[in-house]
Every structure is written in structure tokens, then in C-alpha cells.
Amino acid sequence: YPRRYDPGIRKMREEIRSGRWGKIIAATAYNAEDWITPNLGTWRHDPEICPGGFFYDANGHQLDTLFWITGLGFEWVQCKVDYCGLPVPICASGMAQLTEEVTLVFSFVGSAQMWRERINIHCEKMDFVIDNMRAFWSKDGILTPMTDVTDEVTADEAFIKLLNGTGPNCSPVTDVWPVLNFTRAALENATS
């Protein structure tokens, strides 16, 4: 989960978890991309290797970012999937009840024509947005970048430092469980 190294996303996590903006009221997660064309004939369309399709493979990044920033878990999830004529799910949408009575609405579209991402986290006193991997907050109704510090290490640079053994591991392998449990529960709900 390399997004955890992004300075703006880290700042967003710090601000939300500080409590100064009140409790989290609601969240949304959206991702769209062409996950069909570049993946035809690959393991990504093989239900034995990638049974959750686009939802398992690509959308873990948005879900991890949301769970990591907020510290919330999930209590239940309702989901609908569309296979778009392929052997694995390509589109998934639904809603979930997160801990602390926070509602999450999500839509992941793997049959889109272009890549687009948006995560919204609404607190009592502030709205936070991740738009195409960039962190913003609403200052006087205007989306403003979470950080304008230009000399900070970028997320890519921090990840390379981790790989070189000179930087921290902000994403241990055990942190996959909240995302995996959520996607498993969503896909089970979609088939029942």
C-alpha cells in the first residue's frame, strides 16, 4: 500500500485522527478504469487466481487508504457485482456500515474508459478528499492541497527507501486483513 507514504495522505490521517474536526459522519470511495482491455488473457481474469477480479486486485488501494486514514473497521457490507461477460467481477458497488456508525458508499467500475479515483471523508467540521491520489481538504468551500511542502520525500521515494532498507515499513503484510475481510464479505453478500 504505497499511498501510505504520500505526505498529503499522511497529513490527512493525522488531521482526521486528531479529533479536531469532529467525528467522521460518512465516507465514499470510487474508482474507475479500463480493467478489461489490458488484462484480457492474463491471470487477472482467471477466477482461480483472482476470484474477486477488479474488486480484489485494484480497489484494495482505495479501501486501505480509507481504513488506514480513519482507523475505522467495518461491521457489515452489502454489494452488487457485474461480471461484464467475463469470469471475474469487473464492477462492484454497495454500501457498508463502518465502526462508529459511519456509512460508506462505494462504486468500483472496471469497465470505464479512463482512470479516475475519489475518496471523500466527511467529518463534522471538515471535508477531506482524495482526488486521483492527491489529498485535499475544504478550506472555505475550496479544495486545498493537504500539503504544499516541496522538499518532503515523495511516496515513490519513500517506497524505494523501504525497498533499499533505509526507510520505514508503513504497510506491514498483516495490514492486508481489513481490506481482504471487507472484499470477501462484500463478494459473499453479492452472491447470496
Side-chain angles (χ1 to χ4, degrees), residues 19-145:
R20 73 176 59 103
W21 305 111
K23 74 183 262 350
I24 300 168
I25 298 167
T28 65
Y30 168 77
N31 182 37
E33 63 183 270
D34 177 5
W35 201 77
I36 296 175
T37 307
N39 296 316
L40 285 174
T42 71
W43 63 270
R44 287 187 160 100
H45 288 186
D46 183 339
E48 293 297 317
I49 299 172
C50 190
F54 181 60
F55 192 39
Y56 258 26
D57 187 46
N59 304 125
H61 293 287
Q62 290 82 25
L63 293 169
D64 173 70
T65 300
L66 177 68
F67 294 151
W68 184 73
I69 286 174
T70 65
L72 299 173
F74 83 98
E75 296 179 2
W76 57 261
V77 58
Q78 294 177 320
C79 182
K80 180 182 179 208
V81 297
D82 185 345
Y83 286 69
C84 298
L86 294 164
V88 296
I90 299 300
C91 299
S93 61
M95 67 179 290
Q97 182 71 43
L98 303 181
T99 53
E100 300 182 23
E101 299 182 2
V102 174
T103 300
L104 166 65
V105 176
F106 61 91
S107 180
F108 301 124
V109 182
S111 60
Q113 305 307 304
M114 61 179 268
W115 180 80
R116 185 94 181 125
E117 169 195 69
R118 187 152 181 134
I119 299 169
N120 297 293
I121 302 169
H122 303 283
C123 296
E124 291 173 312
K125 300 176 190 172
M126 180 64 71
D127 291 332
F128 296 90
V129 175
I130 297 174
D131 189 35
N132 294 339
M133 296 192 299
R134 293 191 58 222
F136 297 88
W137 49 0
S138 177
K139 296 277 190 160
D140 299 318
I142 298 169
L143 287 182
T144 306

Side-chain angles (χ1 to χ4, degrees), residues 109-189:
V109 182
S111 60
Q113 305 307 304
M114 61 179 268
W115 180 80
R116 185 94 181 125
E117 169 195 69
R118 187 152 181 134
I119 299 169
N120 297 293
I121 302 169
H122 303 283
C123 296
E124 291 173 312
K125 300 176 190 172
M126 180 64 71
D127 291 332
F128 296 90
V129 175
I130 297 174
D131 189 35
N132 294 339
M133 296 192 299
R134 293 191 58 222
F136 297 88
W137 49 0
S138 177
K139 296 277 190 160
D140 299 318
I142 298 169
L143 287 182
T144 306
M146 288 292 296
T147 182
D148 59 353
V149 178
T150 57
D151 60 352
E152 286 194 56
V153 174
T154 68
D156 289 341
E157 291 166 341
F159 186 61
I160 295 299
K161 284 185 174 191
L162 166 68
L163 295 176
N164 289 335
T166 60
N169 183 357
C170 296
S171 182
V173 70
T174 55
D175 284 4
V176 75
W177 288 111
V179 172
L180 188 57
N181 289 334
F182 182 89
T183 53
R184 281 181 178 168
L187 291 169
E188 285 176 16
N189 177 265

